[in-house]
């Protein structure tokens, strides 16, 4: 199956036609495959160009030839990975028989994926690297249009109500996924709790309709809990 | 006016009672004031403990005495700043006469604030520093409870409809603010466009009701635009 990154690759004009021939495309894709696994486990700062080259059985100069910088490689790898994440979520949700179950399957799949955490790191990086903005913008467009298309298709297939806008729904889904996972990762909650949080925010009616797998509080601390009992009850005078 | 950070300070047990006396509290607060301005302009990696100490007319050992690490200082400064950002947004929105205008004033104020960008950087950092999670969790609780309280109060004051849940609304507001700004900053859109994007996602009816300041597309690229016209139209075969 061709990779979805084909459609968000830097254009020939952006890469000086370095990867327009087939062997070049293969090496480029191979480097991305290797790099994404290293980045997933160690983050941007934990991986060097030399390590990527070694793991890919290539020379460091090949990495910089195709991607110029480690940061550009990181962002491209993260953009490709989030598109896979979206595809996997669609497959996970395709069997759902009701809209709440569909939305829940999507959210649980996306929130638990290391691809989303990687993409968030790429977004943070791109804030100070505006040369990487076009690729990120195209990735969002693709995420939104794929989400729009997938939801529209299953809605027709299952005869679900047509009272919402699939395109708006897809944008809201990804914005809330970013917001919920950014918060969840920083506060040490597990992915299931982040997904429940996201579902409540996405569509409060829907979250209540969906059968839950147990009576749990909306957000559960996993690794860390506030130590200071008094902090919350102190009042602010303003 | 006392700072809102009083209510989210690390507890005495967390700081070994280092700042329980008045001079200690003043120095701690002064260091936070100085640090937040430096961090806002240069980010975490662009500022050293020595520079913070120098700008605050203090010794580096005082910075580490009160905060242990630059990262802990950064997260505390960002948490304090986002609470100010929330307060400023409430003040900016307090005169609004309709719910759509209120929501728009809140969103525009928050999205344009450097406090939100700083807080996002702190969230990204805390993902790998779970010792900082409790402070971030308390900050979210405070943001949500203040948003809940402020919206509930103005809704009663203005006799707006009571058909939504203010607590859920506050959580959705902040999750979408994080998601929209994370995306907007990475793709180089201006804060106004990010605020419009956020408003559409927050409540599509409301965004349409609110008078707009001009007929502009929902998202406008400022610094960077996709160079590759063909990228979007390439189809993916899967």
């Amino acid at each position: 199956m061709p990779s979805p990154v084909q459609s968000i690759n830097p254009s020939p004009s952006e890469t000086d036609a370095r990867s327009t021939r087939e062997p070049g495309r293969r090496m480029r894709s191979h480097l991305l495959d290797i790099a994404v696994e290293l980045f997933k486990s160690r983050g941007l700062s934990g991986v060097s160009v030399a390590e990527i080259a070694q793991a890919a059985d290539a020379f460091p100069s090949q990495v910089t030839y195709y991607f110029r910088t480690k940061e550009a490689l990181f962002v491209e790898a993260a953009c490709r990975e989030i598109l896979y994440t979206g595809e996997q979520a669609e497959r996970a949700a395709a069997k759902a028989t009701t809209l709440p179950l569909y939305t829940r399957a999507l959210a649980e799949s996306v929130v638990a994926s290391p691809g989303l955490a990687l993409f968030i790191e790429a977004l943070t990086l791109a804030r100070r690297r505006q040369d990487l903005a076009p690729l990120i913008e195209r990735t969002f467009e693709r995420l939104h249009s794929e989400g729009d298309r997938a939801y529209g298709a299953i809605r027709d297939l299952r005869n679900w109500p047509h009272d919402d806008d699939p395109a708006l729904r897809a944008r809201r889904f990804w914005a809330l996924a970013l917001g919920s996972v950014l918060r969840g990762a920083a506060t040490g909650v597990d992915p299931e709790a982040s997904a429940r949080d996201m579902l409540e925010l996405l569509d409060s009616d829907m979250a209540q309709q969906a059968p839950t797998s147990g009576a749990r509080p909306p957000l559960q601390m996993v690794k860390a809990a506030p130590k200071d009992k008094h902090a919350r009850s102190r009042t602010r005078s303003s």
Side-chain angles (χ1 to χ4, degrees), chain A:
Chain A
M1 187 185 73
S3 140
V5 80
Q6 287 185 329
S7 55
I8 58 143
N9 258 345
S11 67
S13 67
E14 281 172 314
T15 59
D16 298 335
R18 280 171 197 201
S19 58
T20 51
R21 285 180 214 152
E22 190 50 36
R25 270 201 294 270
R26 271 205 300 272
M27 174 51 90
R28 211 171 180 288
S29 184
H30 174 59
L31 289 170
L32 282 167
D33 287 340
I34 296 292
V36 80
E37 295 307 319
L38 291 172
F39 286 137
K40 268 190 211 168
S41 61
R42 290 189 254 153
L44 174 65
S45 60
V47 183
S48 69
V49 166
E51 286 167 321
I52 295 165
Q54 189 177 27
D57 203 14
F59 296 106
S61 60
Q62 288 177 288
V63 177
T64 50
Y65 175 80
Y66 287 112
F67 300 97
R68 298 181 194 274
T69 64
K70 185 176 78 164
E71 286 70 27
L73 168 58
F74 179 81
V75 169
E76 194 173 334
C79 286
R80 191 167 78 149
E81 196 62 17
I82 193 71
L83 292 173
Y84 279 129
T85 300
E87 281 186 355
Q88 281 169 348
E90 279 170 31
R91 274 198 291 275
K95 289 179 188 164
T97 50
T98 68
L99 179 53
L101 287 173
Y102 175 75
T103 311
R104 201 176 76 176
L106 276 186
E108 286 179 350
S109 176
V110 161
V111 163
S113 159
L116 186 55
L118 208 65
F119 189 55
I120 288 176
E121 196 172 347
L123 294 177
T124 313
L125 172 67
R127 190 162 74 95
R128 297 177 193 275
R129 284 289 306 269
Q130 285 292 309
D131 56 309
L132 304 172
L135 182 61
I136 291 198
E137 182 57 22
R138 286 203 297 279
T139 303
F140 270 111
E141 284 169 6
R142 170 55 62 111
L143 281 176
H144 294 166
S145 66
E146 291 292 316
D148 177 1
R149 178 199 52 69
Y151 173 55
I154 197 166
R155 197 177 64 165
D156 288 344
L157 185 73
R158 304 259 194 261
N159 283 317
W160 293 339
H162 274 61
D163 56 0
D164 55 357
D165 173 3
L168 190 68
R169 194 173 175 82
R171 282 169 54 208
R172 187 182 286 129
F173 177 90
W174 284 106
L176 285 174
L178 293 178
S180 294
V181 167
L182 191 59
R183 175 184 168 205
T187 53
V189 302
D190 60 41
E192 284 181 26
S194 283
R196 280 197 302 279
D197 182 55
M198 182 189 160
L199 283 170
E200 269 189 41
L201 303 182
L202 189 61
D203 204 335
S204 50
D205 304 336
M206 212 166 272
Q208 284 156 11
Q209 283 168 35
T212 54
S213 50
R216 279 178 293 195
L219 271 179
Q220 233 168 2
M221 301 297 286
V222 169
K223 295 182 193 161
K227 288 177 190 168
D228 180 7
K229 288 180 197 170
H230 306 292
R232 296 179 205 185
S233 56
R234 273 181 221 147
T235 55
R236 182 192 53 169
S237 49
S238 59

PDB file of all heavy atoms in Angstrom, chain A residues 62-80:
ATOM      1  N   GLN A  62      23.731  11.206   3.687  1.00  0.00           N
ATOM      2  CA  GLN A  62      22.490  10.893   2.966  1.00  0.00           C
ATOM      3  C   GLN A  62      21.276  11.470   3.687  1.00  0.00           C
ATOM      4  O   GLN A  62      20.326  11.928   3.063  1.00  0.00           O
ATOM      5  CB  GLN A  62      22.338   9.362   2.812  1.00  0.00           C
ATOM      6  CG  GLN A  62      23.314   8.787   1.803  1.00  0.00           C
ATOM      7  CD  GLN A  62      23.206   7.271   1.720  1.00  0.00           C
ATOM      8  OE1 GLN A  62      23.626   6.566   2.627  1.00  0.00           O
ATOM      9  NE2 GLN A  62      22.649   6.772   0.622  1.00  0.00           N
ATOM     10  N   VAL A  63      21.319  11.431   5.019  1.00  0.00           N
ATOM     11  CA  VAL A  63      20.210  12.011   5.785  1.00  0.00           C
ATOM     12  C   VAL A  63      20.110  13.506   5.480  1.00  0.00           C
ATOM     13  O   VAL A  63      19.028  14.028   5.181  1.00  0.00           O
ATOM     14  CB  VAL A  63      20.409  11.783   7.307  1.00  0.00           C
ATOM     15  CG1 VAL A  63      19.283  12.461   8.102  1.00  0.00           C
ATOM     16  CG2 VAL A  63      20.461  10.295   7.620  1.00  0.00           C
ATOM     17  N   THR A  64      21.245  14.196   5.535  1.00  0.00           N
ATOM     18  CA  THR A  64      21.190  15.647   5.307  1.00  0.00           C
ATOM     19  C   THR A  64      20.941  15.962   3.827  1.00  0.00           C
ATOM     20  O   THR A  64      20.375  16.999   3.504  1.00  0.00           O
ATOM     21  CB  THR A  64      22.489  16.339   5.790  1.00  0.00           C
ATOM     22  OG1 THR A  64      23.614  15.640   5.254  1.00  0.00           O
ATOM     23  CG2 THR A  64      22.566  16.308   7.306  1.00  0.00           C
ATOM     24  N   TYR A  65      21.338  15.068   2.943  1.00  0.00           N
ATOM     25  CA  TYR A  65      21.052  15.271   1.522  1.00  0.00           C
ATOM     26  C   TYR A  65      19.546  15.301   1.265  1.00  0.00           C
ATOM     27  O   TYR A  65      19.032  16.172   0.578  1.00  0.00           O
ATOM     28  CB  TYR A  65      21.708  14.151   0.709  1.00  0.00           C
ATOM     29  CG  TYR A  65      21.393  14.182  -0.772  1.00  0.00           C
ATOM     30  CD1 TYR A  65      22.063  15.047  -1.633  1.00  0.00           C
ATOM     31  CD2 TYR A  65      20.435  13.326  -1.303  1.00  0.00           C
ATOM     32  CE1 TYR A  65      21.772  15.074  -2.992  1.00  0.00           C
ATOM     33  CE2 TYR A  65      20.139  13.345  -2.668  1.00  0.00           C
ATOM     34  CZ  TYR A  65      20.808  14.216  -3.497  1.00  0.00           C
ATOM     35  OH  TYR A  65      20.525  14.228  -4.830  1.00  0.00           O
ATOM     36  N   TYR A  66      18.828  14.354   1.871  1.00  0.00           N
ATOM     37  CA  TYR A  66      17.385  14.270   1.615  1.00  0.00           C
ATOM     38  C   TYR A  66      16.549  15.221   2.474  1.00  0.00           C
ATOM     39  O   TYR A  66      15.482  15.648   2.072  1.00  0.00           O
ATOM     40  CB  TYR A  66      16.881  12.840   1.825  1.00  0.00           C
ATOM     41  CG  TYR A  66      17.301  11.914   0.718  1.00  0.00           C
ATOM     42  CD1 TYR A  66      18.221  10.896   0.938  1.00  0.00           C
ATOM     43  CD2 TYR A  66      16.781  12.075  -0.562  1.00  0.00           C
ATOM     44  CE1 TYR A  66      18.615  10.053  -0.092  1.00  0.00           C
ATOM     45  CE2 TYR A  66      17.176  11.238  -1.601  1.00  0.00           C
ATOM     46  CZ  TYR A  66      18.092  10.233  -1.361  1.00  0.00           C
ATOM     47  OH  TYR A  66      18.487   9.411  -2.378  1.00  0.00           O
ATOM     48  N   PHE A  67      17.045  15.510   3.695  1.00  0.00           N
ATOM     49  CA  PHE A  67      16.189  16.257   4.625  1.00  0.00           C
ATOM     50  C   PHE A  67      16.816  17.565   5.123  1.00  0.00           C
ATOM     51  O   PHE A  67      16.187  18.294   5.860  1.00  0.00           O
ATOM     52  CB  PHE A  67      15.825  15.374   5.828  1.00  0.00           C
ATOM     53  CG  PHE A  67      15.089  14.125   5.433  1.00  0.00           C
ATOM     54  CD1 PHE A  67      15.752  12.917   5.280  1.00  0.00           C
ATOM     55  CD2 PHE A  67      13.734  14.174   5.178  1.00  0.00           C
ATOM     56  CE1 PHE A  67      15.076  11.771   4.895  1.00  0.00           C
ATOM     57  CE2 PHE A  67      13.049  13.031   4.786  1.00  0.00           C
ATOM     58  CZ  PHE A  67      13.718  11.833   4.639  1.00  0.00           C
ATOM     59  N   ARG A  68      18.050  17.827   4.760  1.00  0.00           N
ATOM     60  CA  ARG A  68      18.794  19.021   5.193  1.00  0.00           C
ATOM     61  C   ARG A  68      19.093  19.020   6.689  1.00  0.00           C
ATOM     62  O   ARG A  68      20.231  19.009   7.087  1.00  0.00           O
ATOM     63  CB  ARG A  68      18.050  20.311   4.818  1.00  0.00           C
ATOM     64  CG  ARG A  68      17.866  20.482   3.308  1.00  0.00           C
ATOM     65  CD  ARG A  68      17.147  21.788   2.992  1.00  0.00           C
ATOM     66  NE  ARG A  68      16.665  21.823   1.635  1.00  0.00           N
ATOM     67  CZ  ARG A  68      17.386  22.206   0.586  1.00  0.00           C
ATOM     68  NH1 ARG A  68      18.625  22.602   0.764  1.00  0.00           N
ATOM     69  NH2 ARG A  68      16.873  22.199  -0.623  1.00  0.00           N
ATOM     70  N   THR A  69      18.057  19.036   7.543  1.00  0.00           N
ATOM     71  CA  THR A  69      18.305  19.088   8.987  1.00  0.00           C
ATOM     72  C   THR A  69      17.528  17.986   9.701  1.00  0.00           C
ATOM     73  O   THR A  69      16.549  17.454   9.182  1.00  0.00           O
ATOM     74  CB  THR A  69      17.843  20.436   9.592  1.00  0.00           C
ATOM     75  OG1 THR A  69      16.415  20.532   9.431  1.00  0.00           O
ATOM     76  CG2 THR A  69      18.508  21.608   8.913  1.00  0.00           C
ATOM     77  N   LYS A  70      17.982  17.688  10.916  1.00  0.00           N
ATOM     78  CA  LYS A  70      17.282  16.702  11.740  1.00  0.00           C
ATOM     79  C   LYS A  70      15.863  17.179  12.036  1.00  0.00           C
ATOM     80  O   LYS A  70      14.913  16.386  12.066  1.00  0.00           O
ATOM     81  CB  LYS A  70      18.052  16.485  13.046  1.00  0.00           C
ATOM     82  CG  LYS A  70      17.462  15.396  13.920  1.00  0.00           C
ATOM     83  CD  LYS A  70      18.287  15.138  15.163  1.00  0.00           C
ATOM     84  CE  LYS A  70      18.054  16.184  16.224  1.00  0.00           C
ATOM     85  NZ  LYS A  70      18.542  15.779  17.567  1.00  0.00           N
ATOM     86  N   GLU A  71      15.709  18.493  12.240  1.00  0.00           N
ATOM     87  CA  GLU A  71      14.394  19.044  12.574  1.00  0.00           C
ATOM     88  C   GLU A  71      13.415  18.863  11.407  1.00  0.00           C
ATOM     89  O   GLU A  71      12.253  18.524  11.600  1.00  0.00           O
ATOM     90  CB  GLU A  71      14.505  20.530  12.942  1.00  0.00           C
ATOM     91  CG  GLU A  71      15.122  20.799  14.309  1.00  0.00           C
ATOM     92  CD  GLU A  71      16.608  20.491  14.371  1.00  0.00           C
ATOM     93  OE1 GLU A  71      17.289  20.556  13.316  1.00  0.00           O
ATOM     94  OE2 GLU A  71      17.110  20.167  15.466  1.00  0.00           O
ATOM     95  N   ALA A  72      13.905  19.096  10.188  1.00  0.00           N
ATOM     96  CA  ALA A  72      13.032  18.927   9.017  1.00  0.00           C
ATOM     97  C   ALA A  72      12.640  17.454   8.860  1.00  0.00           C
ATOM     98  O   ALA A  72      11.486  17.133   8.539  1.00  0.00           O
ATOM     99  CB  ALA A  72      13.735  19.430   7.763  1.00  0.00           C
ATOM    100  N   LEU A  73      13.607  16.557   9.100  1.00  0.00           N
ATOM    101  CA  LEU A  73      13.307  15.124   9.057  1.00  0.00           C
ATOM    102  C   LEU A  73      12.284  14.763  10.122  1.00  0.00           C
ATOM    103  O   LEU A  73      11.329  14.016   9.872  1.00  0.00           O
ATOM    104  CB  LEU A  73      14.611  14.331   9.266  1.00  0.00           C
ATOM    105  CG  LEU A  73      14.484  12.830   9.548  1.00  0.00           C
ATOM    106  CD1 LEU A  73      13.745  12.108   8.433  1.00  0.00           C
ATOM    107  CD2 LEU A  73      15.866  12.200   9.749  1.00  0.00           C
ATOM    108  N   PHE A  74      12.469  15.316  11.312  1.00  0.00           N
ATOM    109  CA  PHE A  74      11.551  15.024  12.416  1.00  0.00           C
ATOM    110  C   PHE A  74      10.121  15.438  12.059  1.00  0.00           C
ATOM    111  O   PHE A  74       9.172  14.676  12.238  1.00  0.00           O
ATOM    112  CB  PHE A  74      12.008  15.757  13.681  1.00  0.00           C
ATOM    113  CG  PHE A  74      11.102  15.531  14.859  1.00  0.00           C
ATOM    114  CD1 PHE A  74      11.211  14.378  15.615  1.00  0.00           C
ATOM    115  CD2 PHE A  74      10.140  16.465  15.205  1.00  0.00           C
ATOM    116  CE1 PHE A  74      10.370  14.156  16.697  1.00  0.00           C
ATOM    117  CE2 PHE A  74       9.294  16.253  16.279  1.00  0.00           C
ATOM    118  CZ  PHE A  74       9.408  15.095  17.028  1.00  0.00           C
ATOM    119  N   VAL A  75       9.969  16.652  11.548  1.00  0.00           N
ATOM    120  CA  VAL A  75       8.628  17.151  11.223  1.00  0.00           C
ATOM    121  C   VAL A  75       8.005  16.319  10.107  1.00  0.00           C
ATOM    122  O   VAL A  75       6.826  15.959  10.169  1.00  0.00           O
ATOM    123  CB  VAL A  75       8.675  18.656  10.871  1.00  0.00           C
ATOM    124  CG1 VAL A  75       7.356  19.118  10.265  1.00  0.00           C
ATOM    125  CG2 VAL A  75       8.979  19.485  12.120  1.00  0.00           C
ATOM    126  N   GLU A  76       8.801  15.967   9.110  1.00  0.00           N
ATOM    127  CA  GLU A  76       8.229  15.158   8.036  1.00  0.00           C
ATOM    128  C   GLU A  76       7.833  13.769   8.528  1.00  0.00           C
ATOM    129  O   GLU A  76       6.771  13.242   8.163  1.00  0.00           O
ATOM    130  CB  GLU A  76       9.205  15.062   6.854  1.00  0.00           C
ATOM    131  CG  GLU A  76       8.491  14.521   5.626  1.00  0.00           C
ATOM    132  CD  GLU A  76       9.354  14.548   4.368  1.00  0.00           C
ATOM    133  OE1 GLU A  76      10.282  15.385   4.282  1.00  0.00           O
ATOM    134  OE2 GLU A  76       9.091  13.728   3.485  1.00  0.00           O
ATOM    135  N   ALA A  77       8.679  13.190   9.387  1.00  0.00           N
ATOM    136  CA  ALA A  77       8.350  11.871   9.944  1.00  0.00           C
ATOM    137  C   ALA A  77       7.076  11.947  10.778  1.00  0.00           C
ATOM    138  O   ALA A  77       6.204  11.069  10.705  1.00  0.00           O
ATOM    139  CB  ALA A  77       9.520  11.363  10.797  1.00  0.00           C
ATOM    140  N   ALA A  78       6.950  13.008  11.565  1.00  0.00           N
ATOM    141  CA  ALA A  78       5.760  13.156  12.424  1.00  0.00           C
ATOM    142  C   ALA A  78       4.505  13.388  11.595  1.00  0.00           C
ATOM    143  O   ALA A  78       3.432  12.870  11.918  1.00  0.00           O
ATOM    144  CB  ALA A  78       5.978  14.300  13.407  1.00  0.00           C
ATOM    145  N   CYS A  79       4.633  14.144  10.503  1.00  0.00           N
ATOM    146  CA  CYS A  79       3.474  14.392   9.642  1.00  0.00           C
ATOM    147  C   CYS A  79       3.026  13.098   8.970  1.00  0.00           C
ATOM    148  O   CYS A  79       1.830  12.815   8.862  1.00  0.00           O
ATOM    149  CB  CYS A  79       3.807  15.458   8.596  1.00  0.00           C
ATOM    150  SG  CYS A  79       3.872  17.133   9.289  1.00  0.00           S
ATOM    151  N   ARG A  80       3.991  12.318   8.508  1.00  0.00           N
ATOM    152  CA  ARG A  80       3.631  11.053   7.896  1.00  0.00           C
ATOM    153  C   ARG A  80       2.961  10.136   8.926  1.00  0.00           C
ATOM    154  O   ARG A  80       1.959   9.476   8.646  1.00  0.00           O
ATOM    155  CB  ARG A  80       4.881  10.377   7.319  1.00  0.00           C
ATOM    156  CG  ARG A  80       4.557   9.202   6.436  1.00  0.00           C
ATOM    157  CD  ARG A  80       5.749   8.744   5.635  1.00  0.00           C
ATOM    158  NE  ARG A  80       6.667   7.946   6.438  1.00  0.00           N
ATOM    159  CZ  ARG A  80       7.416   6.961   5.934  1.00  0.00           C
ATOM    160  NH1 ARG A  80       7.359   6.684   4.647  1.00  0.00           N
ATOM    161  NH2 ARG A  80       8.228   6.286   6.706  1.00  0.00           N
TER     162      ARG A  80
END
